[in-house]
Amino acid sequence: MTAFVSPPLGTTANGTTADGSSATGASADGIWHGLQLAEGLAVADAAMAPTARASIVVQQGQIRWVGPDAAVPPAWQHLPHRQGAGALATPGLVDCHTHLVYGGQRANEFAMRLAGATYEEVAQAGGGIVSSVKATSAATEDELFAQAAPRLQALLAEGVCAIEIKSGYGLALEHERKQLRVARRLGEVFGVTVRTTFLGAHALPPEYAGRSQDYIDLVCNDMLPALAAEGLVDAVDVFCERIAFTLSETEQVFQTAQWLGIPVKLHAEQLSDMGGAVLAARYGALSCDHIEHLSAEGIAAMKAAGTVAVLLPGAYYTLRDTHLPPIQALRDAGVPMAVSTDHNPGTSPALSLLLMANMACTLFRLTVPESLAGVTTHAARALGLQDSHGLIASGRPANFVLWPVAAAAELAYWFGHKPPCTIVRQGRVYGDAA
Ligand code: DI6
Ligand code: FE
């Protein structure tokens, strides 16, 4: 690995202040020289020879210019000059599907599954999502924040600059509200773009056993409108699955979201083909996620609707799934593929998006450029953030990562190791490349 810019003073290894409570890196304003631009993930403002070193100009937290070192316009020369020493620049990573805020953990279920129980059996035995609902309901907002913060910090330390956080472990208005409020607060405290997704239709609360229509009515008539009115809902999701909600229940939630003007996404065809992707596409869904059992009809519908396919290799791995998502058919159809952690305490207790990029290559046979686009450009699209995140280009907020690697493939190649990097997030610098 090549030498690299030293870390900014005043920050710790994970990019937070010494007390860990907040993140206030130094201003990133300046001309970041001597960079390689990751192919397909940056747009230059002047012609670039393939081997030329690049500069990124940051001023007032925005990317102002991208292009060859030798061509930085005179208007920016007064800014501080920073040496990138040949580092590879990628857009800030985007983790577009997480359940980051919850109480407790579920290591006991890990042991149950090792002893032979399936995910569905664990859920039917009262474990699974419902056990996280108990722990989440019992926790205060401060407790949920304290538990989620180190998880978020692990993702941020790897260059995540935007993250989606779902509710769905409350399953009652006040507890769903707590989760979404904590998600917003995490974004404010850590200076990271957070998109909140309401997933009230994640599991049927035990007190509604046999009355799922009543619960869906509650979600649609009370919970979603109230939380939307409080500005807590950027998107709406449903777990459409045999062990969760039916297609028609899903549609009822989508109709409510549409009426409220909120975009939808879907946990679709993870364990079986429910026809969820076709439905989601009809509602112009931002994304369909998991999709191991996605049909040809679902792929065609997603392509026509511009819906992103979100691949979640962490859940595939944890569940020891063997039914691969239809990668080649998605590729042939030109459906954009994103890759995310699906961080959650049951099926994907993963806290490394780069490991997911590695697994998307190794398990799902994505190419390296596909996996890197999957954790940047396409992930941004899956959140409706395609105009501000996931691409290094002038006019966007400064969110990018400088990696001391010789080739982009290294980002998906190493695993079990967090590569040193310098992170520019919301125009502030965080780093750990000592
Ligand atoms: N799909 C998942 O992968 C998670 N939720 C969902 O709808 C699993 C959530 C859990 O087991 O806690
Ligand atoms: Fe999920």
Side-chain angles (χ1 to χ4, degrees):
M1 292 190 185
T2 48
F4 196 55
V5 288
S6 41
L9 295 174
T11 53
T12 60
N14 57 14
T16 65
T17 51
D19 69 2
S21 63
S22 63
T24 51
S27 165
D29 283 11
I31 306 173
W32 296 77
H33 286 288
L35 304 171
Q36 315 167 58
L37 294 178
E39 213 182 320
L41 301 180
V43 178
D45 294 305
M48 286 272 319
T51 54
R53 289 284 161 91
S55 289
I56 301 174
V57 176
V58 177
Q59 190 223 19
Q60 291 185 337
Q62 299 281 312
I63 298 176
R64 302 294 181 182
W65 190 86
V66 181
D69 267 349
V72 178
W76 305 118
Q77 293 293 345
H78 65 284
L79 291 169
H81 289 244
R82 304 167 182 264
Q83 291 311 319
L88 175 77
T90 69
L93 306 187
V94 179
D95 197 353
C96 66
H97 178 141
T98 88
H99 310 247
L100 197 80
V101 175
Y102 55 84
Q105 45 73 32
R106 308 227 301 271
N108 63 324
E109 284 175 24
F110 181 59
M112 280 170 76
R113 284 203 306 274
L114 288 175
T118 65
Y119 180 59
E120 281 152 305
E121 285 162 0
V122 168
Q124 275 149 14
I129 295 171
V130 167
S131 74
S132 292
V133 172
K134 280 194 194 121
T136 304
S137 306
T140 64
E141 256 181 58
D142 285 348
E143 286 164 350
L144 290 175
F145 181 91
Q147 291 180 45
R151 302 194 280 257
L152 178 61
Q153 284 174 294
L155 293 167
L156 298 184
E158 224 181 45
V160 167
C161 291
I163 182 168
E164 186 243 25
I165 301 179
K166 300 177 194 292
S167 68
Y169 289 118
L171 309 186
L173 178 58
E174 65 175 309
H175 303 306
E176 291 286 305
R177 177 188 285 124
K178 270 189 326 202
Q179 278 192 280
L180 295 169
R181 284 171 51 93
V182 168
R184 284 269 187 260
R185 192 166 136 207
L186 287 165
E188 284 155 20
V189 170
F190 287 95
V192 56
T193 303
V194 168
R195 300 297 281 176
T196 55
T197 297
F198 172 68
L199 180 58
H202 191 196
L204 191 64
E207 61 275 23
Y208 281 85
R211 294 191 295 129
S212 74
Q213 184 58 53
D214 289 352
Y215 181 64
I216 290 293
D217 287 345
L218 183 76
V219 163
C220 293
N221 300 337
D222 297 342
M223 290 161 69
L224 177 49
L227 296 169
E230 292 169 38
L232 289 171
V233 182
D234 297 326
V236 172
D237 192 354
V238 174
F239 190 17
C240 179
E241 194 52 69
R242 290 188 305 238
I243 57 168
F245 296 98
T246 65
L247 204 59
S248 69
E249 290 165 343
T250 302
E251 179 153 25
Q252 196 183 327
V253 178
F254 282 1
Q255 279 170 349
T256 309
Q258 191 176 59
W259 182 73
L260 291 166
I262 302 172
V264 301
K265 38 181 52 232
L266 190 65
H267 279 74
E269 346 291 24
Q270 179 186 9
L271 309 170
S272 60
D273 179 12
M274 301 275 292
V278 170
L279 175 73
R282 267 210 281 125
Y283 283 81
L286 290 171
S287 68
C288 288
D289 304 35
H290 286 288
I291 56 170
E292 278 81 353
H293 295 261
L294 180 63
S295 66
E297 203 189 349
I299 293 173
M302 288 170 67
K303 173 63 185 171
T307 300
V308 176
V310 178
L311 305 172
L312 304 171
Y316 178 91
Y317 162 84
T318 301
L319 297 175
R320 303 181 72 223
D321 202 346
T322 52
H323 198 291
L324 285 164
I327 302 298
Q328 188 58 43
L330 287 163
R331 188 183 279 136
D332 290 346
V335 174
M337 292 182 279
V339 175
S340 167
T341 60
D342 188 19
H343 176 87
N344 75 74
T347 60
S348 192
L351 288 169
S352 167
L353 189 53
L354 289 182
L355 176 58
M356 299 304 114
N358 168 275
M359 287 165 65
C361 294
T362 303
L363 298 175
F364 294 169
R365 313 314 285 166
L366 259 62
T367 65
V368 168
E370 282 173 339
S371 73
L372 296 182
V375 295
T376 55
T377 306
H378 299 324
R381 178 167 295 278
L383 298 180
L385 294 176
Q386 61 273 15
D387 295 332
S388 57
H389 290 70
L391 189 72
I392 296 176
S394 50
R396 292 174 171 236
N399 290 299
F400 57 86
V401 190
L402 307 181
W403 310 90
V405 297
E410 285 191 53
L411 299 182
Y413 157 78
W414 301 105
F415 68 92
H417 157 71
K418 197 203 80 60
C421 56
T422 289
I423 297 159
V424 172
R425 189 173 74 242
Q426 293 189 346
R428 319 295 299 179
V429 190
Y430 307 92
D432 59 6

